[in-house]
């Protein structure tokens, strides 16, 4: 077999009609070895392309032995273990990184992000929302919304309580993977598909959406929206908001460089370079007018915030007397003009 983008064995949940609600992939692979794909293809009849192939428990034992004999002990052991499952099984193979076309494919791509196998904006997620059913996430697993009333009644008749933790398209990341070296105070505030870098702390009011996250050591006390990727050593203050968008379709990708501080109740609509600070309570949108000051606090010119995108060592603040939004830098007026000319 030729090179493959991703492959994973999954165990999931289907509704009474046989539609997938969610899939858990314990060991997703990025760029698996062709020999491994070949063994699976021969056993399951895979002929190419992006496919989610139903896996019967009766196939697991033979497949596990074949994988172990070919030198893939870890995947072989997993396949053998799945032989004892009473839940639906699937093998999802992505020959190429294209827009997902099924719920198992969509869940595999979310797993790749949360397992840190790919970073935000490095995988195609176009069209993912229609593939993720709105699900009731309960103490008894994922339940189709239309089937929830009957399940609640059945639970009460058994003397049990069916607790509904949320109704959403995206589950909690930690119900599927807990990345190493992180602290998450409230796990309901980090979605599957978030990339949470080693050394990141997410406080109780912090939030990380799918296709977003932190590169490394960061303190998250506010919101990291989809499309935003925060560099190492940054501090996102309580209640801060970052207005990133998905990287498909020509949308702007919001990134935050290393060592940045975005104060409480502050937000950005432009990407920042390294060592930038946004004053608490200040919201910087791309089209907002900013008074650019040099290292001597002299006004150089008034520009739109988007002209400062990706620049480093900037301090954004609001003038307490005039109300004007200012950007302070450690560069001279000449250097600032050169910087803006080069940027434009």
């Amino acid at each position: 077999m030729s090179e493959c983008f991703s492959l994973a064995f999954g165990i999931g949940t289907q509704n009474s009609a046989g539609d997938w609600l969610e899939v858990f992939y314990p060991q997703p692979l990025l760029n698996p070895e062709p020999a491994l794909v070949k063994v699976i293809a021969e056993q399951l009849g895979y002929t190419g392309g992006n496919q989610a192939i139903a896996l019967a428990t009766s196939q697991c034992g033979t497949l596990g032995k074949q994988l172990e004999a070919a030198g893939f002990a870890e995947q072989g052991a997993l396949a053998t273990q799945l032989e004892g499952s009473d839940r639906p099984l699937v093998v999802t193979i992505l020959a190429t990184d294209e827009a997902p076309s099924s719920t198992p494919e969509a869940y595999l791509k979310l797993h790749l992000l949360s397992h840190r196998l790919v970073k935000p904006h490095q995988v195609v997620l176009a069209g993912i929302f229609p593939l993720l059913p709105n699900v009731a996430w309960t103490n008894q697993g994922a339940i189709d919304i239309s089937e929830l009333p009957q399940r609640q009644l059945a639970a009460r008749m058994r003397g049990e309580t069916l607790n509904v933790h949320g109704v959403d398209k995206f589950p909690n990341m930690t119900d599927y993977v807990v990345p190493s070296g992180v602290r998450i105070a409230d796990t309901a505030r980090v979605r599957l598909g978030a990339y949470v870098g080693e050394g990141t702390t997410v406080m109780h009011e912090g939030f990380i959406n799918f296709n977003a996250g932190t590169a490394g050591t960061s303190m998250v006390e506010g919101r990291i929206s989809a499309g935003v990727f925060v560099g190492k050593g940054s501090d996102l203050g309580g209640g801060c908001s970052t207005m990133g968008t998905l990287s498909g379709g020509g949308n702007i990708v919001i990134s935050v460089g290393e060592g940045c501080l975005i104060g409480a109740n502050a937000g950005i609509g432009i990407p920042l370079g390294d060592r930038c600070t946004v004053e608490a309570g200040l919201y910087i949108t791309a089209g907002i007018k900013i008074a650019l000051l040099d290292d001597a606090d002299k006004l150089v010119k008034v520009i739109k915030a988007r002209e400062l995108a990706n620049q480093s060592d900037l301090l954004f603040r609001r003038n307490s007397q005039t109300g004007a939004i200012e950007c302070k830098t450690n560069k001279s007026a000449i250097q600032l003009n050169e910087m803006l000319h080069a940027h434009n």
Side-chain angles (χ1 to χ4, degrees):
M1 299 294 293
S2 59
E3 291 186 2
C4 177
F5 175 69
S6 183
L7 181 150
F9 290 93
I11 177 171
T13 306
Q14 295 176 327
N15 63 13
S16 58
D19 301 320
W20 288 101
L21 300 180
E22 57 84 40
V23 182
F24 167 61
Y25 296 105
Q27 297 174 15
L29 299 176
L30 183 67
N31 303 130
E33 294 185 37
L36 184 149
V37 180
K38 184 173 184 288
V39 172
I40 294 174
E42 291 174 348
Q43 293 297 314
L44 302 184
Y46 169 72
T47 57
N50 293 357
Q51 294 188 38
I53 305 171
L55 178 65
T57 53
S58 58
Q59 297 174 290
C60 292
T62 300
L63 180 57
K65 292 177 181 178
Q66 292 291 334
L67 288 170
E68 291 185 8
F72 301 104
E74 189 173 8
Q75 293 295 313
L78 175 59
T80 300
Q81 189 175 2
L82 291 177
E83 188 175 18
S85 174
D86 61 359
R87 307 299 297 169
L89 302 175
V90 64
V91 177
T92 302
I93 303 174
L94 301 180
T96 57
D97 180 20
E98 298 177 4
S101 59
S102 66
T103 299
E105 290 179 29
Y107 265 83
L108 176 51
K109 291 204 167 185
L110 295 177
H111 276 73
L112 292 176
L113 283 157
S114 290
H115 276 269
R116 299 179 185 151
L117 296 174
V118 297
K119 293 181 179 179
H121 320 305
Q122 289 185 346
V123 64
V124 178
L125 297 175
I128 193 173
F129 284 98
L131 300 174
L132 300 175
N134 204 26
V135 169
W137 303 100
T138 78
N139 60 318
Q140 295 183 13
I143 299 177
D144 189 299
I145 298 296
S146 65
E147 300 173 2
L148 181 62
Q150 187 59 40
R151 291 284 296 272
Q152 288 174 316
L153 175 60
R156 291 285 181 169
M157 292 174 64
R158 295 193 300 269
E160 303 172 356
T161 300
L162 182 61
N163 297 318
V164 180
H165 306 304
V167 179
D168 195 8
K169 287 178 173 290
F170 292 84
N172 298 349
M173 180 190 73
T174 53
D175 289 342
Y176 294 78
V177 55
V178 178
S180 61
V182 303
R183 292 170 52 205
I184 303 174
D186 184 350
T187 57
R189 299 184 65 83
V190 181
R191 277 175 154 182
L192 181 64
Y195 183 108
V196 187
E198 184 96 20
T200 293
T201 295
V202 184
M203 298 300 289
H204 293 81
E205 294 303 316
F207 174 83
I208 306 180
N209 210 339
F210 81 103
N211 198 34
T214 59
T217 303
S218 298
M219 174 65 70
V220 181
E221 297 180 86
R223 179 183 180 87
I224 303 180
S225 299
V228 179
F229 195 48
V230 180
K232 297 179 181 179
S234 295
D235 187 347
L236 278 74
C240 79
S241 175
T242 42
M243 295 175 54
T245 57
L246 292 178
S247 56
N251 291 333
I252 297 172
V253 172
I254 303 296
S255 61
V256 179
E258 297 185 4
C260 292
L261 171 62
I262 301 177
N265 298 310
I268 58 170
I270 62 170
L272 301 179
D274 299 331
R275 301 172 300 279
C276 290
T277 299
V278 180
E279 181 183 79
L282 182 59
Y283 213 107
I284 304 295
T285 59
I288 202 166
K289 295 294 184 65
I290 298 211
L292 185 61
L293 309 179
D294 65 10
D295 55 354
D297 282 345
K298 300 290 186 181
L299 177 64
V300 176
K301 61 192 307 184
V302 177
I303 60 175
K304 291 185 177 180
R306 64 171 58 93
E307 297 181 57
L308 296 172
N310 296 305
Q311 299 297 326
S312 298
D313 301 302
L314 301 179
L315 167 63
F316 294 91
R317 67 190 186 188
R318 186 180 295 278
N319 189 302
S320 61
Q321 294 181 320
T322 67
I325 298 177
E326 300 174 338
C327 179
K328 177 79 164 55
T329 178
N330 57 9
K331 293 182 172 64
S332 67
I334 294 175
Q335 290 174 311
L336 282 175
N337 279 314
E338 291 177 346
M339 176 190 76
L340 292 174
H341 178 73
H343 181 67
N344 293 330

